[in-house]
């Protein structure tokens, strides 16, 4: 028996301080394009998937590590080579916090401070 879903996910939108900068970073990190950017909103897309970035007045960046669990969200990115991906993402404007969860995951922060994780693509199969 097949049940048709009443909705489809069109985009994930992330609160931030600088939507244009976030859209540029994530488009470069994922090999996508910036499809829209101004002072209040930015969007990156691969033509099918979309990440949006909305400016929030007085937005406060999440903390890492954050034992209170208020990091807001995080993306897990599958990569072939952890070291090479880390180097490229740092070159795009990510930063690496000193507190890391272990050897199979690397936590980086995007330009507005959102944490995201890198792990080997082989770990997802």
């Amino acid at each position: 028996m097949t049940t048709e879903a009443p909705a489809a996910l069109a985009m994930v939108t992330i609160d931030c301080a600088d939507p244009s900068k976030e859209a540029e970073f994530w488009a470069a990190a994922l090999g996508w394009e910036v499809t829209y950017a101004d002072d209040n909103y930015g969007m990156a897309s691969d033509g099918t998937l979309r990440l949006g970035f909305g400016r929030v007045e007085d937005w406060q960046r999440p903390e890492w590590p954050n034992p209170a669990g208020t990091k807001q969200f995080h993306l897990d990115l599958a990569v072939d080579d952890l070291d090479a991906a880390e180097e490229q993402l740092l070159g795009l404007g990510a930063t690496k916090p000193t507190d890391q969860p272990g050897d199979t995951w690397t936590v980086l922060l995007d330009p507005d401070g959102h944490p995201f994780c890198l792990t080997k693509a082989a770990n997802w199969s």
Side-chain angles (χ1 to χ4, degrees):
M1 174 190 232
T2 305
T3 304
E4 190 170 322
L9 181 64
M11 178 170 53
V12 173
T13 299
I14 300 166
D15 294 347
C16 65
D18 189 338
S20 293
K21 188 173 185 177
E22 288 290 286
E24 289 172 16
F25 173 81
W26 285 103
L30 298 171
W32 293 5
E33 293 183 29
V34 174
T35 55
Y36 184 85
D38 67 20
D39 290 343
N40 293 306
Y41 199 81
M43 185 187 305
S45 177
D46 72 350
T48 303
L49 303 172
R50 295 168 218 54
L51 283 175
F53 305 93
R55 187 174 81 74
V56 172
E57 195 68 35
D58 297 325
W59 181 82
Q60 294 182 17
R61 62 189 291 146
E63 297 293 325
W64 177 263
N66 188 331
T70 57
K71 64 182 173 187
Q72 301 165 7
F73 84 97
H74 77 271
L75 299 176
D76 293 332
L77 305 181
V79 300
D80 291 325
D81 182 322
L82 277 174
D83 294 332
E86 177 183 323
E87 183 178 338
Q88 286 181 293
L89 291 161
L90 292 173
L92 293 172
T95 56
K96 184 176 180 180
T98 55
D99 195 335
Q100 294 292 316
D103 296 334
T104 60
W105 294 87
T106 299
V107 175
L108 298 178
L109 307 175
D110 76 9
D112 258 0
H114 298 106
F116 63 98
C117 297
L118 305 177
T119 190
K120 290 187 177 182
N123 294 345
W124 290 97
S125 48

